[in-house]
Amino acid sequence: MGSVRRNLVINGDGINGIWQRIFYFPQCILSSMRGQTKGLIIRKVSLKIEALENTGTPDRRLSNMFWETLNWKVLAEHLGNKVNILDIGCGDGKYGTRYKKLLNKKLKSYSGLDVYKNKDFPNEFTHILDKAKNCFLHLKGINLVVSQSALQHIEQDRKVLEVITSNLSKSHPFIQIHLVPAFASLWLRLWHGWRIYSQKNLGSIAASLSSTNKVNIEVVPLGGLRCFITHFTRITIPEFLGKLTNRSSKVDWENESSKTSIKIKQSVTREITASTLFPSFWAILISHEEIDIDSFFK
């Protein structure tokens, strides 16, 4: 029965035909309704306004603000000032460059894992060509595991998190930070990945990890209704109509002087402290029980 159910799950990245497009949404909605909120710790964080970038989609700007808001000095101290990063779903490795800037000499290594190697991946970093499910093979010496918009593309996301947490818990203090799309993203990207993340399935993940490991787990909401409306009206609808009519629809959020880009900046500015009612994204923070997550934001 379990294998039959798995075969019926639709991956939005490889959507094929009208029926899969139709059934993708109820699949994600039902998935988001499973789980529990009891015990889930939600931390509201005011993002650094000075870190707001002039280009990018709302969730990308919010995510980058989050990375810049973290207290990397304290985070590095928890890890002995020798930070070794594994980035799951690293893409072109640009976040490796960001982490290097934030950590400076405290970054000892950055390894990016992905199922392909982007031609722009920096030569100064290590690239691992592999699937996320095999990440346990590449954890030697790693004490910080990160991902940006990657877990939703991994079919067995919870199993991957369980394997990472179990392996890292055996040896030394560690931290994990994963940024994932919230329920609002289902209507913004339409077909994207295996799932979106709600408080219920995040609560279920937290309960599963903490039941077998001595860890602290918290989630941080990013964005809110204003960011959703801006993305939906300025990006989602124009792009969808363009595909529907086979017409080129240029939605410019990379030009800082465009109307769309300016509107995005205004929306993000008004939601530097997210609402838990309708966030765009979540940051999942998992740490060894002796590491206080609260210290990351001081």
Side-chain angles (χ1 to χ4, degrees), residues 71-79 106 292 295-296 298:
N71 188 328
W72 289 89
K73 181 176 183 292
V74 171
L75 187 149
E77 288 173 354
H78 283 305
L79 301 177
K106 296 175 183 178
D292 181 14
S295 65
F296 300 169
K298 291 182 177 178

Side-chain angles (χ1 to χ4, degrees), residues 212-259:
T212 53
N213 304 280
K214 296 179 179 180
V215 292
N216 297 316
I217 304 174
E218 296 185 11
V219 297
V220 176
L222 303 174
L225 186 59
R226 292 184 183 90
C227 288
F228 170 84
I229 292 172
T230 298
H231 191 133
F232 187 71
T233 57
R234 299 271 180 169
I235 298 175
T236 305
I237 291 179
E239 286 191 336
F240 179 71
L241 291 177
K243 291 178 181 178
L244 202 63
T245 59
N246 289 321
R247 293 180 180 178
S248 177
S249 177
K250 186 178 181 182
V251 182
D252 192 359
W253 59 81
E254 295 296 347
N255 178 359
E256 62 181 89
S257 61
S258 71
K259 291 182 179 180

Side-chain angles (χ1 to χ4, degrees), residues 51-66:
L52 175 56
E53 297 169 353
N54 293 320
T55 60
T57 60
D59 51 28
R60 182 62 64 174
R61 297 191 208 195
L62 288 162
S63 294
N64 290 344
M65 288 173 75
F66 175 82

Side-chain angles (χ1 to χ4, degrees), residues 9-20:
V9 176
I10 301 166
N11 179 6
D13 296 328
I15 212 86
N16 183 22
I18 184 64
W19 290 111
Q20 284 196 1

Side-chain angles (χ1 to χ4, degrees), residues 12 21 24-25 185-192 232 236 240:
R21 290 180 184 275
Y24 179 74
F25 292 94
S185 291
L186 177 61
W187 316 108
L188 297 179
R189 289 177 180 78
L190 303 183
W191 300 279
H192 191 73
F232 187 71
T236 305
F240 179 71

Side-chain angles (χ1 to χ4, degrees), residues 66 75 79 143-147 151 157-158 160-162 164-166 168-169 173-178 202 205-206 208-210 213-220 283-293 296:
F66 175 82
L75 187 149
L79 301 177
N143 53 17
L144 175 58
V145 176
V146 298
S147 69
L151 289 186
D157 62 329
R158 188 179 305 184
V160 167
L161 290 176
E162 289 172 351
I164 293 172
T165 306
S166 176
L168 292 182
S169 295
F174 70 89
I175 299 167
Q176 295 183 59
I177 305 173
H178 305 280
L202 287 174
I205 289 172
S208 175
L209 294 179
S210 59
N213 304 280
K214 296 179 179 180
V215 292
N216 297 316
I217 304 174
E218 296 185 11
V219 297
V220 176
I284 308 171
L285 297 103
I286 307 165
S287 72
H288 186 276
E289 65 172 347
E290 295 178 0
I291 297 178
D292 181 14
I293 291 176
F296 300 169

